[in-house]
Amino acid sequence: ETGVTQSPTHLIKTRGQQVTLRCSSQSGHNTVSWYQQALGQGPQFIFQYYREEENGRGNFPPRFSGLQFPNYSSELNVNALELDDSALYLCASSLAGTSGWTDTQYFGPGTRLTVL
Amino acid sequence: QKEVEQNSGPLSVPEGAIASLNCTYSDRVSQSFFWYRQYSGKSPELIMSIYSNGDKEDGRFTAQLNKASQYVSLLIRDSQPSDSATYLCAVKGSNYQLIWGAGTKLIIKP
């Protein structure tokens, strides 16, 4: 167990709806990264939050947005859901130094999102 | 486009043998390299991290890094059926992002 938790475990939405996924980071970690993993693929980096600010973003449209709270927990919001958004969404926490450089990332169990 | 390449497999290895998993990467400035194991339907689990050229051993696992050849590998000695999983190689680039390979599916045959 990594100490990283995610909710919900599974979610079914319809196209055009909005969804919020939640993540609690491991104790002592200040950085959260979000990934999308389609079936049979490696994780794709969505964005990373460090001290409540976005600290890097992958090739995802603006309808993917996030937040990090003072306790370092985080949310991933996806608006206007599309069928291709169906995937496993992974949250990973890590500890970053003052330069923002992070080391090893530890993953939560993931949220399986199905868009119909 | 910075990339991490892995053979998708499946790689089939008899129980008790050595499994060898390979990964190549394109970003020459990469300094941190990770191997994760992922069981079907589960999230990735860290196995090894390696930062310097050469070998790093942890129990039955050995990671090997060759920065000149942009190549990182994972050896699993005395393979067990519980080692059957997908193994993901991840490389950290200069912008703090982890770039992932698509994974190699490993099957250990009893």
Side-chain angles (χ1 to χ4, degrees), chain B residues 86-105:
Chain B
T86 295
Y87 288 80
L88 296 161
C89 172
V91 175
K92 179 168 288 184
S94 56
N95 60 354
Y96 311 143
Q97 288 187 27
L98 276 183
I99 302 168
W100 296 77
T104 298
K105 184 173 183 178

Side-chain angles (χ1 to χ4, degrees), chain B residues 4-107:
Chain B
V4 175
E5 300 286 342
Q6 296 182 255
N7 188 320
S8 61
L11 174 65
S12 184
V13 173
E15 183 176 356
I18 296 176
S20 178
L21 303 161
N22 304 315
C23 172
T24 59
Y25 60 94
S26 63
D27 188 356
R28 287 191 169 274
V29 303
S30 297
Q31 296 295 321
S32 305
F33 307 86
F34 305 89
W35 282 101
Y36 284 80
R37 176 176 63 199
Q38 187 173 28
Y39 294 111
S40 180
K42 302 295 185 181
S43 62
E45 170 192 10
L46 179 69
I47 298 175
M48 297 274 289
S49 59
I50 186 167
Y51 307 99
S52 304
N53 280 328
D55 295 358
K56 179 182 178 182
E57 186 174 319
D58 184 359
R60 297 187 296 112
F61 299 95
T62 299
Q64 299 175 318
L65 175 60
N66 184 325
K67 291 184 180 179
S69 300
Q70 296 174 244
Y71 176 93
V72 58
S73 65
L74 179 70
L75 301 178
I76 307 174
R77 291 182 299 281
D78 188 23
S79 297
Q80 303 296 310
S82 60
D83 295 326
S84 298
T86 295
Y87 288 80
L88 296 161
C89 172
V91 175
K92 179 168 288 184
S94 56
N95 60 354
Y96 311 143
Q97 288 187 27
L98 276 183
I99 302 168
W100 296 77
T104 298
K105 184 173 183 178
L106 176 65
I107 299 172

